[in-house]
Amino acid sequence: MDADFRPTRESTPPPNVSYQQSVLGLAPNVHPLNPFPFILRAAAVYPDKLAVAHPDVTHPAFYTYAVWAQRIQNMAYALIQAGIRPGDRVAVITPNCPLIADAHFGILAARAIVTPVNTRLTPPEVSYILEHSGSKLILIDRDFTHLIENINIPTVVCHDTGRAGDPYESFLSAGRVFSAEKGWTGLEVEPDENAGAVLCYTSGTTGRPKGVLTTLRGSYLAAIGNVVEGQISRESTYLWILPMFHAAGWTYPWANVFACATQITMRSVDYPLIWKHFLNSGVTHYCGAPTVQIGIVNDPAGRPLPRIISAVVAGAAPTAHLISQLEQMGIKPVHVYGLTETGGPFTRCYDQPHWKTLTLEQRAKLMARQGQSSVIAQDTRVVYPPQDENDEEFRDVPKDGRTVGEVLMRGNIIMKEYFRDPEATRKAFQGRHFHSGDLAVWHPDGVIQVVDRSKDLIISGGENASSLAIELELSSHPHALEVSVVARSHPKWGERPMAFVVLRPEHAAKWKDNHGGFATELIRHARTLLPGFACPEWVQIVDELPKSSTGKILKTDLRKAVAKL
Amino acid sequence: MDADFRPTRESTPPPNVSYQQSVLGLAPNVHPLNPFPFILRAAAVYPDKLAVAHPDVTHPAFYTYAVWAQRIQNMAYALIQAGIRPGDRVAVITPNCPLIADAHFGILAARAIVTPVNTRLTPPEVSYILEHSGSKLILIDRDFTHLIENINIPTVVCHDTGRAGDPYESFLSAGRVFSAEKGWTGLEVEPDENAGAVLCYTSGTTGRPKGVLTTLRGSYLAAIGNVVEGQISRESTYLWILPMFHAAGWTYPWANVFACATQITMRSVDYPLIWKHFLNSGVTHYCGAPTVQIGIVNDPAGRPLPRIISAVVAGAAPTAHLISQLEQMGIKPVHVYGLTETGGPFTRCYDQPHWKTLTLEQRAKLMARQGQSSVIAQDTRVVYPPQDENDEEFRDVPKDGRTVGEVLMRGNIIMKEYFRDPEATRKAFQGRHFHSGDLAVWHPDGVIQVVDRSKDLIISGGENASSLAIELELSSHPHALEVSVVARSHPKWGERPMAFVVLRPEHAAKWKDNHGGFATELIRHARTLLPGFACPEWVQIVDELPKSSTGKILKTDLRKAVAKL
């Protein structure tokens, strides 16, 4: 806590605040599931506990649960005063900071739908999302107003100061006018637990982005699932490295509050700052894609931690090298798998007691698999492709670790729909399962392993080569920092793998003028690990890999480059 | 694990077992909540982990998750073959042993309702419950068949051997016949998450017992809530001291499986045996009423534990002395409060960071309070009595720690109804809240404190004296082991408190021939702690207090005794 920080007068709750909403009309024994009221309970039980810390800015801010709850109440009333009605979409365009943490509660408290927009998109992309979502109001950080210059939607700009004079603070303070009179009781409970919660646009690699609408029920359950899986508690401190706008921060904005933990927000992924918090702020949990984890373990500020930090890794399988580096630092990687459509993490690779006796390499191979349904998820299957669009009888592939099928999921944390796109929704839900578009094998121990996105599979001489499997093996070369593999057309084999490699800084000099030498060595390395059809035909050293706004490697860009070769 | 134990042939799952039920007809994104499938996931993720251990009997049994799941599947098919249909009640009459653990899953898997019967009841009481519930089948332990001698309902007797030849094993094995053919897919998912789960008869102190019917949704959520509150994990070992027939074991039969923990069952509350497991079996969690906790800390086998065990205490507030004794042993007491009607624990007294600086006495006073709604519970209020039967507008009492009102609750873990008793249900749910019948004050920090059951309040000279508050203070006398206080009529004051006291064994001799001396000393002690109207007028030393089958002190019996004085 910063001794200098004082929340605005309007952020202080009244004495004798009651944290109960009106329940008139609700049954005594069936209450609609909704993650927003987590904040009411946290504020009631731990009013003076630090809830949100935002320390690394010109104007740091620190909110206790009682103060934060009041700010959320203020936001709800301010939204209602601004004309927001149940089911309306409210856009949020900001990096990680209190604004977006507030929004995950305040917008739901007003019974509206949180519509986070990726700050790394271009103005036309943002414009498309605002229009398609029909957002009625925009909450935006001062650094991103250029994204909405020609947009004609009411907007509240946040200067991220938490101090009087900030337009966002004025907005909240206006909401407080109704607080003394109406309090939490004045905010109606959303009676439909299957109403929309968050509308997240996927950064589609082809075509327009699709709006993934999650449900309140799914968000409530997914958040609790993440608390149980991560054993997050009131003793925990969660560091926001993952952008909160990415798939609703995998539901951790709610999970941390359900657990009454403390959250620290950082505006950008700044590795020295991350290490500062790891070493000095009592961090216990964070989430991030492997590419971020690589940045963390390779940062010069890194050193062995005094106690274990739990790192949820998703987006791609962590390599043996990365697992080893994380563990040496005292970071325990937890490999999960999911999509925006599955409410974030859906499966988890559960380490088994007998893995302790394995070598790191053996263990890493097992840990790189996507796993089994996590506690709340329900069903994950790998099935043969349907016969046609009307085929709804899926056949599971055998659990042989070899037969490739599509990953299907179902359960409460699956999205409600693609917003305003019944055709895409129908396709995604064919046969009452969600179709992930990911190809996987099913191992005898019940664990699934994604071998590729459907479109990333490389078909070489009739053989299916998994670009992910090739990447995992190439990553084991000691000089390789990051690897991405795509198909390149080949006159004889149809397609052959081409590898793009970022070298580790300490080895880059050696190959600076001898890219061909590295290519020869990497291909030789590959031959010891992979079948011939899966060995890269070409290797290109690059300074960096193209990445999406959420840190995923953009294979579409690599394919475009390959097409020009 | 006992090297000699082998599960029956029929308890071994087939190779390539699939743990998925048929989901035809279910939506991709709304799956009915139900605690039974916890076993499917646990068996899929940790098939070889020890799930249930039953070591302290002539024929010990040890089931891994895979084997236990198969036994549960067998039970479901056996029940269906025996004519059990969705919604039917299946009675279970047994102390803690694998049978009742099986029943909490197998009966739900057959879409029927678990109807546990308290083994300490009399044959006429059992007969009433079997008749009122309309139980279609009885699963009964060999030691309790005398309870149903004249009952004409199909019955399966369990000899608690886990070996071939046991009639219960034959029953399960018959179910296995369908397994190879149908497997889990053949068992239909219960589509209504608000269908009945468990029907528990409360040991009513007046009139006939009432059947509390809980819902599947409530049971699912309550179990998960207990996992989060207790931080139960796959590393945990839960010792069954609380009878599983008591309010569905407070949902821990499911909670432990959701967490993939190990459970140890014991047929009776045997203190030396409890200590054997505390010291040698890796126990991390257990539940019990204060009276059981007193037995544990005072047993000669007790000694400081190598690592903390978490003890959930409910049914009455733990005294400072008990808290101190537990903590000295390495047992961390967690005080919760709830009723059978609230699905077990509903509120929890959350210790606050600043309590660390308090004395034990101060902390114990705070810890003895019933607390605030736990993670899943939803609303707990203390309200003024309704004006009449139609009054549905409750007014909260002020949070002043003084004004007495009734505790009302609502939320998903509240019961569905009193079975076949719409009038009692209507009364209990007046104004869409559940009426606990407990009287409480609301403290400024939002914590409720039960001062009495409505009927236990002592009205002395127009003042309301809380029998619980008097008991707590009298318990602080170093010679008192257990105390119970009831009203006794008084010509001048209307009522005055009378205390019944069990002395600590080490102090009993001193007062053996001087009961009057102890009474004088205890009343003097009370005067330093309580207002005059709350000081006991009479003190009687007794060898033991009358207790119900679930270990609660029977004040009705004490009142009867008092009436004869």
Side-chain angles (χ1 to χ4, degrees), chain B residues 92-225:
Chain B
V92 187
I93 309 177
T94 172
N96 288 343
C97 68
L99 167 63
I100 187 163
D102 300 349
H104 275 85
F105 292 88
I107 295 174
L108 295 192
R111 299 177 56 194
I113 294 171
V114 188
T115 306
V117 180
N118 190 324
T119 55
R120 294 158 192 161
L121 297 179
T122 60
E125 289 171 315
V126 172
S127 171
Y128 174 81
I129 290 172
L130 292 172
E131 189 178 315
H132 186 270
S133 65
S135 289
K136 280 220 185 150
L137 183 79
I138 302 171
L139 305 174
I140 192 164
D141 182 81
R142 47 136 215 263
D143 282 357
F144 296 88
T145 50
H146 62 279
L147 291 176
I148 57 161
E149 264 169 13
N150 298 313
I151 304 286
N152 191 18
I153 297 173
T155 297
V156 177
V157 178
C158 176
H159 288 207
D160 197 13
T161 67
R163 269 95 175 152
D166 188 322
Y168 175 58
E169 294 301 320
S170 306
F171 179 73
L172 295 187
S173 296
R176 178 60 187 267
V177 172
F178 306 90
S179 171
E181 187 195 343
K182 298 182 173 177
W184 291 106
T185 314
L187 293 170
E188 281 170 37
V189 173
E190 170 55 56
D192 178 10
E193 66 186 20
N194 290 310
V198 177
L199 178 58
C200 263
Y201 283 78
T202 55
S203 45
T205 42
T206 52
R208 288 298 203 176
K210 283 190 288 223
V212 176
L213 184 62
T214 60
T215 67
L216 292 169
R217 173 180 165 111
S219 303
Y220 173 100
L221 292 170
I224 294 175

Side-chain angles (χ1 to χ4, degrees), chain B residues 362-437:
Chain B
Q362 291 171 318
R363 199 158 54 83
K365 256 206 169 74
L366 294 169
M367 273 187 71
R369 303 177 304 165
Q370 274 65 24
Q372 288 161 284
S373 288
S374 61
V375 284
I376 299 279
Q378 203 64 32
D379 303 323
T380 305
R381 302 168 64 185
V382 183
V383 304
Y384 286 106
Q387 308 288 316
D388 57 50
E389 280 210 354
N390 301 314
D391 182 11
E392 305 212 332
E393 295 276 347
F394 305 112
R395 275 194 314 127
D396 290 347
V397 302
K399 292 192 178 120
D400 59 8
R402 288 184 291 115
T403 311
V404 175
E406 188 187 6
V407 182
L408 305 193
M409 293 104 134
R410 51 176 304 288
N412 291 299
I413 69 176
I414 299 289
M415 68 167 178
K416 184 182 175 76
E417 64 188 26
Y418 289 119
F419 190 64
R420 294 182 169 166
D421 196 342
E423 180 54 22
T425 305
R426 196 190 58 73
K427 272 191 193 162
F429 283 163
Q430 187 185 341
R432 294 164 180 260
H433 284 70
F434 170 68
H435 293 250
S436 70

